[in-house]
Amino acid sequence: MSAEVVQRPLPRLRLRWSRGAGLFLCALGALAVCVLSLRIGSLDVSTADSLAAIFDYDAGSYEQTVVRSLRVPRTLIGVAVGAALAVAGGTMQAATRNPLAGPSILGVSAGASFAIVTAIYFGQLTEPMQYVWFAFAGGLATSALVYGIGTAGAGGASPVKLALAGVIVSALLTSWTSALLLLDRETLDAVRFWSAGSLAGRDLQVLWTALPFLIVGTTGALLMSHQLNVLSLGDDAARALGMHTGRVRGVAAVLVVLMTGAAVAAAGPIGFVGLAVPHIVRVVVGPDYRWVLPYSVFVGVMLLLGADILGRILMRPSEIQVGIVTAAVGAPFLIWIARQRRVADV
Amino acid sequence: MAASIDAAAPRPPRLRTLRLGAVSLRIDLRVLLLIAVAAAGTFALACWAMTLGSFPIAVVDVVRSVLGQGSDEYDFVVRTLRLPRVLSAVLAGALLALSGAVFQGLVRNALVSPDIIGINAGASLFAVFWILTLRSSALLPVAAFVGAVLAAVLVYVLTWKGGVSGNRLILVGIGVNAMCAAATTFLIVRFPIDDVSRAVLWTTGSVYASSWGDVALLGAGLAVLLPAGAVLMWAMRVLQLGDQTARSLGQAVERTRLTLMLVGCGLSAVAISIVGPIGFVAFMLPHVARMVAGPMSGGVFVFTAMLGGAYLLAADVVAQHALPVSLPVGVVTSALGAPYFLFLLWRTNARL
Amino acid sequence: MTTTVLAAPTESRLQSEAVTLAYGDATVARDLSVRIPDGRVTSIIGPNGCGKSTLLRALVRLLRPRGGTVYLDGQAIHRLGTKEVARRLGLLSQQSPLPEAITVEDLVRRGRFPHQSFLQPPSDRDHEAVERALALAGVEDLRDRPVDELSGGQRQRAWIAMTLAQETPILLLDEPTTFLDVAHQQEVFDLVRRLNREEGRTVVLVLHEVNDAARVSDHIVAMRDGAIVAEGVPEDVVNPEQLLTIFGVPCDVMCDPATAARTCIPRGCLLQPHITSARAGGVLRTSDLSSGYGDRRVVQGVNVDIAPGRITAIVGANACGKSTLLKTLARLLPITQGEALLDGRSVLEGRHRELACRLAMLGQGAVAPAGVTVEELVAAGRYPYQRWWRQWSPEDEAAVTRSLEATGLGALRHRQVETLSGGQRQRVWIAMTLAQDTPVMLLDEPTTFLDIAHQVEVLDLIADLNRREGRTIVMVLHDLAQAARYADEIVAMKDGEVIASGPPAEVITVDLVRTVFGIDCRVTPDPLTQRPVVLPALD
């Protein structure tokens, strides 16, 4: 017995070390996916050329020009958006104590889309940079509405109530959005690619506008992981441990809206990344958010860029928008979660 | 309406038993009265709706034309243009409301309707595919029906885990809904803008430009499915008590549920294939019917059909005439239905 | 365990002054003044909805009182910082579901939150506290196991360990023993007493079971309808007059001569002897019956003969297969081996409807759909006799009227089921089963979630039906005391097998209780009815 007690710390240490090593591997994996994203497309480029386009640009090379002007922005946006959506999803799941929470389920994406389409229709908005502010406003209002309705009543928040509220608000906003689009063909044409969710053809300017928000949101969420751990024990337990649950939730909500609003503005509504990534990560590293969130950063990048690359390959030479690919991959994932016993019972 | 909501007050029902040899039916006189009132209301609304438009016609002339004794100038407008539209709104509304009643009872959850659990999205996906690839409306109902049934089967199979739990069905349904929606978006992005705007119009739902053929299809669907559903309500009353209780009362639960699901799919697919996925009618009207007439039964089922018809007709009138631009009716129904749904969800306490 | 060893309480670090509590507009409790004696175990008891959990929430500042003040160490508690309070008070609330795969050690570490600050790594101090808490609660060996894989008692101990890691002098536990069976309850109470006796911690428990409170606590606070109706040492509170005020049920109190522990025995109407002979039919027996869920076999090789026209109670610890056996008899689960015979025919023979005319079953936790009235629900019991084209016959009418009368629901027949109290609601479900008009009735835990008064109400009704109509009744009960009081025959199960069956006086023995429930106890006859009374031994 005493020998066992002495040996106790070892497995813990090894676990911590192996989690650290895993994180490093994930970072390497994300980097590799970035390189692939520079290489693959309707025109395949060699690794040497794609790296040269960044570090040693030769304006004469057609390949390098393609990489520099099209794929570098696309990859950068993919990295920023993938990381932010995944961390936002993890934060939401912890703060709402709801395995189904995610930017698309809570209607943030639909709210942001609606705000942007409205702005384009009424305000003759042409600069994608201005999208950001409308995306924030729409996302914030919608998520507040959905969360308010989903948690009202004596039962508190249940996964099903929250998901239903999100779906209905999304349906309502989508129906208004499509009414606006029917009234005005130009808006439809301007928006239909954006509203499918895509990394392609985006202006780097948009990324620069959104980037500060993405960074602030993601860093803030990573710093909050200890609080999120305690919050996941339940409201009463967390408050009995001396936590201001309302304050922590409020901060988490603001961070989530920063991340998703900026992500939607930069890449359009991309569903299910935020829902799926934290679940995948939890299977590997367990429920500790101090590990879940950092892992989510890299796995989010891998998943989103991976989906984007898949969309480029599947129907060559044309492309499938990444939002469609993630939804097609992510919706079965939602069904899988729903089939886990605990969720439906809650 | 408000008088009957008083929850705690004892309200002796006016039940009469109708006996004919071996047949005995239980009939609630109040519900019978409500059905009559709703039918009269729908008729009046329909007549008024046909007077409206760029070519106003007096009510008397409308009624005369409908009865086949009008003048030729009115006959064309009323019988060829307005009557089919009004009739398809009424019939489609009835079908949609009934499908909602069936699904809500089936899942024992008042917050479910075919538009949430992916049935409508499945139908839309197939219909959009049909419109975009074949560019013809022929056989569109069949495509939509196939889509609806496939989606329903998919939801049911994926929910199955030694039984079907209501909450799991909702979540799986949301997932199937998302998949179908993603595929529909894919189609919309892939095809040229000319075809796309037609498809987008269809997916919002509209009774615009209905023909007598549409009315015949809707009417045939309702004629078959309404009696079937009304009969099934007798078994559903017991299914509502929960699987275990229903089974110990001697009900073959899975068989009942499968039959109900087929009828529900049929109701929703027939309506969707003609008028497109008009949202929230299926969700909202069964609630209103139950609020006015009490728990679902064969009689209340018929009443729900009446209300559904009247509601969709009213929504179409609003969509067509209330605003300077005429909107598809689906926009109006979701603008009214979604807030009501959210209100209900907000009021629902620990039940979910 | 006598309380005389301890000096009378002089100090109280935690107390409430004239506290009024409300959720929204609904006032739950008014003008409560409680002093929690230091270094003692205090229990707060009372019927469902009396405000006992609400009071506890106010004491730990989870709920801010509408009026009055809660004082901790002489200071108003809501003026103290949240972490400051959390370093002095540890609360175990009624559990909420945990994220999957969280291990016991993860859980316990999170109890250190009030001692940590933003971005500060865990110190050696934290590590020691976690180790100590794990050791104290006896969950060291479970540290790497996910909490959701543990048994009920182990899980409860893991949560208590988390509260212990907070290192607070005062512990408050909200219903720590609900959903546990007797052995696990014992486990938790032993831990509570150890913490109090060896560590000198002040413990406050909210309990719904009087007998537990009488056994473990030094001080009892009894509440009813949001007010304190009795307070003092167990001897003062657990006596017939006080119990009548608290729960509204006449009770006798038995005192265990060896330990001085008090046990309350609620008195319903006295059981009449059987006059009517059993109805024709209703002979239920099984031979070598096995069944289960999917591949998992829960009931194994059961042979029982149910006495016709009598009340049989099936007892056993949680998950011993008692409800499964009942469901198998009612054909709700497939039989994997052996057979179950009703009047000589297998229950699997024929259509479901036919069986439903001969055997009725009331499951657990049935919920009536919204808006359904009492009469409509009871009428649903006639379903097996009806078709959609034959919806209502004179026999249906007669059966519904009869069962409404028998259950005393005549006056409530047009009320909606949701507006009734828990006891009334359970009566409606029994009336529905009664309207099925079958010689055999199976009832699965008809008294769970009801407080004492309603339990007595429901069991009296069942006994009365049995006596007057001669129906064979088989019920699953988790409370051995109720089974002993009401059943003519007892079937004791363990691990899916029947261990003993026969009349209560023969079956309920010290050895049997130890085998079936895993606790030590004494068994003495009730002076009034001569039925056995089980007095659990402590420590």
Side-chain angles (χ1 to χ4, degrees), chain C residues 6-7 9-13 36-42 169-170 193 195-204 218-219:
Chain C
L6 299 159
T10 49
E11 303 221 355
S12 166
R13 297 182 63 180
I36 304 296
D38 287 346
R40 302 295 166 84
V41 179
T42 303
I170 305 175
R193 290 181 66 82
L195 290 171
N196 174 251
R197 296 287 181 268
E198 293 169 16
E199 302 252 309
R201 298 200 201 208
T202 307
V203 181
V204 184
D218 308 311
H219 188 82

PDB file of all heavy atoms in Angstrom, chain C residues 6-7 9-13 36-42 169-170 193 195-204 218-219:
ATOM      1  N   LEU C   6     -22.343  15.227  25.278  1.00  0.00           N
ATOM      2  CA  LEU C   6     -21.974  16.562  24.825  1.00  0.00           C
ATOM      3  C   LEU C   6     -22.633  17.628  25.689  1.00  0.00           C
ATOM      4  O   LEU C   6     -23.768  17.471  26.122  1.00  0.00           O
ATOM      5  CB  LEU C   6     -22.438  16.747  23.383  1.00  0.00           C
ATOM      6  CG  LEU C   6     -21.814  15.774  22.380  1.00  0.00           C
ATOM      7  CD1 LEU C   6     -22.683  15.693  21.148  1.00  0.00           C
ATOM      8  CD2 LEU C   6     -20.425  16.237  22.023  1.00  0.00           C
ATOM      9  N   ALA C   7     -21.935  18.683  25.917  1.00  0.00           N
ATOM     10  CA  ALA C   7     -22.510  19.776  26.684  1.00  0.00           C
ATOM     11  C   ALA C   7     -23.579  20.474  25.843  1.00  0.00           C
ATOM     12  O   ALA C   7     -23.582  20.368  24.631  1.00  0.00           O
ATOM     13  CB  ALA C   7     -21.422  20.776  27.061  1.00  0.00           C
ATOM     14  N   PRO C   9     -25.416  23.143  23.673  1.00  0.00           N
ATOM     15  CA  PRO C   9     -24.784  24.085  22.744  1.00  0.00           C
ATOM     16  C   PRO C   9     -24.808  25.498  23.294  1.00  0.00           C
ATOM     17  O   PRO C   9     -25.840  25.976  23.751  1.00  0.00           O
ATOM     18  CB  PRO C   9     -25.654  23.972  21.501  1.00  0.00           C
ATOM     19  CG  PRO C   9     -26.943  23.402  21.968  1.00  0.00           C
ATOM     20  CD  PRO C   9     -26.615  22.552  23.141  1.00  0.00           C
ATOM     21  N   THR C  10     -23.701  26.120  23.258  1.00  0.00           N
ATOM     22  CA  THR C  10     -23.632  27.484  23.763  1.00  0.00           C
ATOM     23  C   THR C  10     -23.401  28.462  22.630  1.00  0.00           C
ATOM     24  O   THR C  10     -23.927  29.565  22.635  1.00  0.00           O
ATOM     25  CB  THR C  10     -22.478  27.638  24.755  1.00  0.00           C
ATOM     26  OG1 THR C  10     -21.308  27.075  24.165  1.00  0.00           O
ATOM     27  CG2 THR C  10     -22.790  26.953  26.060  1.00  0.00           C
ATOM     28  N   GLU C  11     -22.613  28.032  21.636  1.00  0.00           N
ATOM     29  CA  GLU C  11     -22.251  28.970  20.599  1.00  0.00           C
ATOM     30  C   GLU C  11     -22.873  28.583  19.283  1.00  0.00           C
ATOM     31  O   GLU C  11     -23.235  27.445  19.059  1.00  0.00           O
ATOM     32  CB  GLU C  11     -20.732  28.970  20.433  1.00  0.00           C
ATOM     33  CG  GLU C  11     -20.041  29.301  21.725  1.00  0.00           C
ATOM     34  CD  GLU C  11     -18.887  30.222  21.500  1.00  0.00           C
ATOM     35  OE1 GLU C  11     -18.611  30.500  20.316  1.00  0.00           O
ATOM     36  OE2 GLU C  11     -18.280  30.662  22.472  1.00  0.00           O
ATOM     37  N   SER C  12     -22.944  29.512  18.391  1.00  0.00           N
ATOM     38  CA  SER C  12     -23.475  29.233  17.083  1.00  0.00           C
ATOM     39  C   SER C  12     -22.843  30.189  16.085  1.00  0.00           C
ATOM     40  O   SER C  12     -23.086  31.387  16.133  1.00  0.00           O
ATOM     41  CB  SER C  12     -24.989  29.388  17.143  1.00  0.00           C
ATOM     42  OG  SER C  12     -25.502  29.447  15.872  1.00  0.00           O
ATOM     43  N   ARG C  13     -22.009  29.639  15.217  1.00  0.00           N
ATOM     44  CA  ARG C  13     -21.342  30.496  14.237  1.00  0.00           C
ATOM     45  C   ARG C  13     -22.291  30.876  13.114  1.00  0.00           C
ATOM     46  O   ARG C  13     -22.132  31.893  12.470  1.00  0.00           O
ATOM     47  CB  ARG C  13     -20.126  29.770  13.648  1.00  0.00           C
ATOM     48  CG  ARG C  13     -19.069  29.459  14.672  1.00  0.00           C
ATOM     49  CD  ARG C  13     -17.879  28.796  14.035  1.00  0.00           C
ATOM     50  NE  ARG C  13     -17.235  29.668  13.066  1.00  0.00           N
ATOM     51  CZ  ARG C  13     -16.164  29.321  12.357  1.00  0.00           C
ATOM     52  NH1 ARG C  13     -15.642  28.115  12.526  1.00  0.00           N
ATOM     53  NH2 ARG C  13     -15.629  30.147  11.503  1.00  0.00           N
ATOM     54  N   ILE C  36     -27.598  27.293  14.425  1.00  0.00           N
ATOM     55  CA  ILE C  36     -26.989  25.991  14.168  1.00  0.00           C
ATOM     56  C   ILE C  36     -25.936  25.759  15.248  1.00  0.00           C
ATOM     57  O   ILE C  36     -24.940  26.475  15.291  1.00  0.00           O
ATOM     58  CB  ILE C  36     -26.322  25.962  12.782  1.00  0.00           C
ATOM     59  CG1 ILE C  36     -27.317  26.337  11.680  1.00  0.00           C
ATOM     60  CG2 ILE C  36     -25.701  24.596  12.519  1.00  0.00           C
ATOM     61  CD1 ILE C  36     -28.467  25.387  11.513  1.00  0.00           C
ATOM     62  N   PRO C  37     -26.160  24.799  16.159  1.00  0.00           N
ATOM     63  CA  PRO C  37     -25.190  24.602  17.244  1.00  0.00           C
ATOM     64  C   PRO C  37     -23.844  24.134  16.700  1.00  0.00           C
ATOM     65  O   PRO C  37     -23.790  23.234  15.861  1.00  0.00           O
ATOM     66  CB  PRO C  37     -25.849  23.539  18.123  1.00  0.00           C
ATOM     67  CG  PRO C  37     -26.923  22.937  17.308  1.00  0.00           C
ATOM     68  CD  PRO C  37     -27.309  23.897  16.265  1.00  0.00           C
ATOM     69  N   ASP C  38     -22.775  24.740  17.183  1.00  0.00           N
ATOM     70  CA  ASP C  38     -21.428  24.383  16.729  1.00  0.00           C
ATOM     71  C   ASP C  38     -21.063  22.970  17.155  1.00  0.00           C
ATOM     72  O   ASP C  38     -21.419  22.517  18.244  1.00  0.00           O
ATOM     73  CB  ASP C  38     -20.402  25.341  17.335  1.00  0.00           C
ATOM     74  CG  ASP C  38     -20.485  26.698  16.664  1.00  0.00           C
ATOM     75  OD1 ASP C  38     -21.124  26.777  15.606  1.00  0.00           O
ATOM     76  OD2 ASP C  38     -19.915  27.659  17.208  1.00  0.00           O
ATOM     77  N   GLY C  39     -20.336  22.296  16.273  1.00  0.00           N
ATOM     78  CA  GLY C  39     -19.811  20.982  16.623  1.00  0.00           C
ATOM     79  C   GLY C  39     -20.856  19.893  16.734  1.00  0.00           C
ATOM     80  O   GLY C  39     -20.600  18.833  17.295  1.00  0.00           O
ATOM     81  N   ARG C  40     -22.058  20.139  16.225  1.00  0.00           N
ATOM     82  CA  ARG C  40     -23.120  19.137  16.300  1.00  0.00           C
ATOM     83  C   ARG C  40     -23.588  18.777  14.901  1.00  0.00           C
ATOM     84  O   ARG C  40     -23.307  19.483  13.946  1.00  0.00           O
ATOM     85  CB  ARG C  40     -24.336  19.685  17.073  1.00  0.00           C
ATOM     86  CG  ARG C  40     -24.041  20.137  18.449  1.00  0.00           C
ATOM     87  CD  ARG C  40     -23.605  18.957  19.292  1.00  0.00           C
ATOM     88  NE  ARG C  40     -23.013  19.428  20.521  1.00  0.00           N
ATOM     89  CZ  ARG C  40     -23.722  19.756  21.590  1.00  0.00           C
ATOM     90  NH1 ARG C  40     -25.018  19.688  21.564  1.00  0.00           N
ATOM     91  NH2 ARG C  40     -23.111  20.153  22.680  1.00  0.00           N
ATOM     92  N   VAL C  41     -24.371  17.693  14.843  1.00  0.00           N
ATOM     93  CA  VAL C  41     -25.063  17.359  13.604  1.00  0.00           C
ATOM     94  C   VAL C  41     -26.497  17.847  13.730  1.00  0.00           C
ATOM     95  O   VAL C  41     -27.208  17.439  14.643  1.00  0.00           O
ATOM     96  CB  VAL C  41     -25.053  15.842  13.348  1.00  0.00           C
ATOM     97  CG1 VAL C  41     -25.809  15.511  12.069  1.00  0.00           C
ATOM     98  CG2 VAL C  41     -23.629  15.320  13.269  1.00  0.00           C
ATOM     99  N   THR C  42     -26.883  18.745  12.838  1.00  0.00           N
ATOM    100  CA  THR C  42     -28.244  19.280  12.872  1.00  0.00           C
ATOM    101  C   THR C  42     -28.988  18.799  11.633  1.00  0.00           C
ATOM    102  O   THR C  42     -28.425  18.793  10.547  1.00  0.00           O
ATOM    103  CB  THR C  42     -28.211  20.822  12.860  1.00  0.00           C
ATOM    104  OG1 THR C  42     -27.436  21.258  13.970  1.00  0.00           O
ATOM    105  CG2 THR C  42     -29.604  21.398  12.930  1.00  0.00           C
ATOM    106  N   PRO C 169     -15.033  24.638   8.384  1.00  0.00           N
ATOM    107  CA  PRO C 169     -15.465  24.109   9.673  1.00  0.00           C
ATOM    108  C   PRO C 169     -16.940  23.701   9.679  1.00  0.00           C
ATOM    109  O   PRO C 169     -17.361  22.924  10.523  1.00  0.00           O
ATOM    110  CB  PRO C 169     -15.225  25.266  10.642  1.00  0.00           C
ATOM    111  CG  PRO C 169     -15.155  26.482   9.793  1.00  0.00           C
ATOM    112  CD  PRO C 169     -14.665  26.051   8.453  1.00  0.00           C
ATOM    113  N   ILE C 170     -17.715  24.241   8.744  1.00  0.00           N
ATOM    114  CA  ILE C 170     -19.148  23.937   8.718  1.00  0.00           C
ATOM    115  C   ILE C 170     -19.498  23.293   7.374  1.00  0.00           C
ATOM    116  O   ILE C 170     -19.099  23.775   6.322  1.00  0.00           O
ATOM    117  CB  ILE C 170     -19.997  25.207   8.895  1.00  0.00           C
ATOM    118  CG1 ILE C 170     -19.573  25.933  10.174  1.00  0.00           C
ATOM    119  CG2 ILE C 170     -21.480  24.875   8.925  1.00  0.00           C
ATOM    120  CD1 ILE C 170     -20.259  27.263  10.373  1.00  0.00           C
ATOM    121  N   ARG C 193     -21.097  11.130  10.575  1.00  0.00           N
ATOM    122  CA  ARG C 193     -20.835  11.036  12.011  1.00  0.00           C
ATOM    123  C   ARG C 193     -19.342  11.070  12.300  1.00  0.00           C
ATOM    124  O   ARG C 193     -18.900  11.669  13.281  1.00  0.00           O
ATOM    125  CB  ARG C 193     -21.457   9.761  12.577  1.00  0.00           C
ATOM    126  CG  ARG C 193     -22.978   9.826  12.604  1.00  0.00           C
ATOM    127  CD  ARG C 193     -23.541   8.562  13.182  1.00  0.00           C
ATOM    128  NE  ARG C 193     -23.202   8.410  14.594  1.00  0.00           N
ATOM    129  CZ  ARG C 193     -23.879   9.015  15.566  1.00  0.00           C
ATOM    130  NH1 ARG C 193     -24.887   9.786  15.281  1.00  0.00           N
ATOM    131  NH2 ARG C 193     -23.542   8.823  16.822  1.00  0.00           N
ATOM    132  N   LEU C 195     -17.028  12.566  10.560  1.00  0.00           N
ATOM    133  CA  LEU C 195     -16.558  13.942  10.396  1.00  0.00           C
ATOM    134  C   LEU C 195     -16.887  14.775  11.617  1.00  0.00           C
ATOM    135  O   LEU C 195     -16.122  15.629  12.053  1.00  0.00           O
ATOM    136  CB  LEU C 195     -17.204  14.585   9.173  1.00  0.00           C
ATOM    137  CG  LEU C 195     -16.750  14.035   7.831  1.00  0.00           C
ATOM    138  CD1 LEU C 195     -17.624  14.588   6.725  1.00  0.00           C
ATOM    139  CD2 LEU C 195     -15.301  14.424   7.599  1.00  0.00           C
ATOM    140  N   ASN C 196     -18.057  14.513  12.157  1.00  0.00           N
ATOM    141  CA  ASN C 196     -18.487  15.278  13.319  1.00  0.00           C
ATOM    142  C   ASN C 196     -17.737  14.850  14.567  1.00  0.00           C
ATOM    143  O   ASN C 196     -17.168  15.670  15.292  1.00  0.00           O
ATOM    144  CB  ASN C 196     -19.993  15.104  13.489  1.00  0.00           C
ATOM    145  CG  ASN C 196     -20.486  15.742  14.762  1.00  0.00           C
ATOM    146  OD1 ASN C 196     -20.861  15.060  15.703  1.00  0.00           O
ATOM    147  ND2 ASN C 196     -20.441  17.064  14.808  1.00  0.00           N
ATOM    148  N   ARG C 197     -17.690  13.550  14.843  1.00  0.00           N
ATOM    149  CA  ARG C 197     -17.094  13.068  16.089  1.00  0.00           C
ATOM    150  C   ARG C 197     -15.575  13.244  16.097  1.00  0.00           C
ATOM    151  O   ARG C 197     -14.998  13.661  17.080  1.00  0.00           O
ATOM    152  CB  ARG C 197     -17.425  11.587  16.291  1.00  0.00           C
ATOM    153  CG  ARG C 197     -18.904  11.296  16.470  1.00  0.00           C
ATOM    154  CD  ARG C 197     -19.411  11.746  17.827  1.00  0.00           C
ATOM    155  NE  ARG C 197     -20.821  11.422  17.968  1.00  0.00           N
ATOM    156  CZ  ARG C 197     -21.797  12.271  17.649  1.00  0.00           C
ATOM    157  NH1 ARG C 197     -21.532  13.471  17.188  1.00  0.00           N
ATOM    158  NH2 ARG C 197     -23.070  11.900  17.801  1.00  0.00           N
ATOM    159  N   GLU C 198     -14.929  12.884  14.943  1.00  0.00           N
ATOM    160  CA  GLU C 198     -13.464  12.889  14.965  1.00  0.00           C
ATOM    161  C   GLU C 198     -12.877  14.231  14.589  1.00  0.00           C
ATOM    162  O   GLU C 198     -11.794  14.592  15.034  1.00  0.00           O
ATOM    163  CB  GLU C 198     -12.938  11.801  14.019  1.00  0.00           C
ATOM    164  CG  GLU C 198     -13.275  10.403  14.520  1.00  0.00           C
ATOM    165  CD  GLU C 198     -13.015   9.344  13.483  1.00  0.00           C
ATOM    166  OE1 GLU C 198     -12.294   9.638  12.503  1.00  0.00           O
ATOM    167  OE2 GLU C 198     -13.534   8.219  13.642  1.00  0.00           O
ATOM    168  N   GLU C 199     -13.565  14.960  13.733  1.00  0.00           N
ATOM    169  CA  GLU C 199     -12.997  16.213  13.247  1.00  0.00           C
ATOM    170  C   GLU C 199     -13.644  17.418  13.906  1.00  0.00           C
ATOM    171  O   GLU C 199     -13.200  18.542  13.700  1.00  0.00           O
ATOM    172  CB  GLU C 199     -13.224  16.315  11.743  1.00  0.00           C
ATOM    173  CG  GLU C 199     -12.630  15.172  10.976  1.00  0.00           C
ATOM    174  CD  GLU C 199     -11.414  15.610  10.210  1.00  0.00           C
ATOM    175  OE1 GLU C 199     -11.526  16.625   9.497  1.00  0.00           O
ATOM    176  OE2 GLU C 199     -10.367  14.980  10.359  1.00  0.00           O
ATOM    177  N   GLY C 200     -14.726  17.164  14.613  1.00  0.00           N
ATOM    178  CA  GLY C 200     -15.406  18.262  15.292  1.00  0.00           C
ATOM    179  C   GLY C 200     -16.078  19.243  14.357  1.00  0.00           C
ATOM    180  O   GLY C 200     -16.281  20.405  14.714  1.00  0.00           O
ATOM    181  N   ARG C 201     -16.405  18.791  13.109  1.00  0.00           N
ATOM    182  CA  ARG C 201     -17.048  19.737  12.206  1.00  0.00           C
ATOM    183  C   ARG C 201     -18.525  19.866  12.512  1.00  0.00           C
ATOM    184  O   ARG C 201     -19.175  18.913  12.947  1.00  0.00           O
ATOM    185  CB  ARG C 201     -16.912  19.260  10.766  1.00  0.00           C
ATOM    186  CG  ARG C 201     -15.494  19.171  10.343  1.00  0.00           C
ATOM    187  CD  ARG C 201     -15.399  19.182   8.860  1.00  0.00           C
ATOM    188  NE  ARG C 201     -14.117  18.615   8.469  1.00  0.00           N
ATOM    189  CZ  ARG C 201     -13.496  18.929   7.357  1.00  0.00           C
ATOM    190  NH1 ARG C 201     -14.023  19.792   6.536  1.00  0.00           N
ATOM    191  NH2 ARG C 201     -12.344  18.387   7.071  1.00  0.00           N
ATOM    192  N   THR C 202     -19.041  21.042  12.266  1.00  0.00           N
ATOM    193  CA  THR C 202     -20.468  21.260  12.376  1.00  0.00           C
ATOM    194  C   THR C 202     -21.110  20.759  11.088  1.00  0.00           C
ATOM    195  O   THR C 202     -20.638  21.084  10.012  1.00  0.00           O
ATOM    196  CB  THR C 202     -20.766  22.760  12.520  1.00  0.00           C
ATOM    197  OG1 THR C 202     -19.971  23.246  13.606  1.00  0.00           O
ATOM    198  CG2 THR C 202     -22.223  23.012  12.772  1.00  0.00           C
ATOM    199  N   VAL C 203     -22.160  19.945  11.186  1.00  0.00           N
ATOM    200  CA  VAL C 203     -22.808  19.420   9.988  1.00  0.00           C
ATOM    201  C   VAL C 203     -24.287  19.778  10.015  1.00  0.00           C
ATOM    202  O   VAL C 203     -24.940  19.644  11.045  1.00  0.00           O
ATOM    203  CB  VAL C 203     -22.647  17.885   9.899  1.00  0.00           C
ATOM    204  CG1 VAL C 203     -23.305  17.362   8.626  1.00  0.00           C
ATOM    205  CG2 VAL C 203     -21.191  17.484   9.940  1.00  0.00           C
ATOM    206  N   VAL C 204     -24.794  20.267   8.890  1.00  0.00           N
ATOM    207  CA  VAL C 204     -26.226  20.523   8.754  1.00  0.00           C
ATOM    208  C   VAL C 204     -26.743  19.659   7.619  1.00  0.00           C
ATOM    209  O   VAL C 204     -26.185  19.671   6.525  1.00  0.00           O
ATOM    210  CB  VAL C 204     -26.510  22.006   8.432  1.00  0.00           C
ATOM    211  CG1 VAL C 204     -28.010  22.254   8.388  1.00  0.00           C
ATOM    212  CG2 VAL C 204     -25.840  22.905   9.448  1.00  0.00           C
ATOM    213  N   ASP C 218     -27.925  15.423  16.419  1.00  0.00           N
ATOM    214  CA  ASP C 218     -27.982  15.846  17.815  1.00  0.00           C
ATOM    215  C   ASP C 218     -29.078  16.877  17.997  1.00  0.00           C
ATOM    216  O   ASP C 218     -29.524  17.144  19.102  1.00  0.00           O
ATOM    217  CB  ASP C 218     -26.648  16.494  18.211  1.00  0.00           C
ATOM    218  CG  ASP C 218     -25.479  15.607  17.867  1.00  0.00           C
ATOM    219  OD1 ASP C 218     -25.521  14.417  18.218  1.00  0.00           O
ATOM    220  OD2 ASP C 218     -24.536  16.103  17.228  1.00  0.00           O
ATOM    221  N   HIS C 219     -29.455  17.483  16.880  1.00  0.00           N
ATOM    222  CA  HIS C 219     -30.377  18.606  16.954  1.00  0.00           C
ATOM    223  C   HIS C 219     -31.267  18.530  15.727  1.00  0.00           C
ATOM    224  O   HIS C 219     -30.777  18.281  14.626  1.00  0.00           O
ATOM    225  CB  HIS C 219     -29.551  19.901  16.940  1.00  0.00           C
ATOM    226  CG  HIS C 219     -30.352  21.137  17.195  1.00  0.00           C
ATOM    227  ND1 HIS C 219     -30.690  21.555  18.456  1.00  0.00           N
ATOM    228  CD2 HIS C 219     -30.879  22.046  16.350  1.00  0.00           C
ATOM    229  CE1 HIS C 219     -31.389  22.681  18.370  1.00  0.00           C
ATOM    230  NE2 HIS C 219     -31.524  22.988  17.101  1.00  0.00           N
TER     231      HIS C 219
END
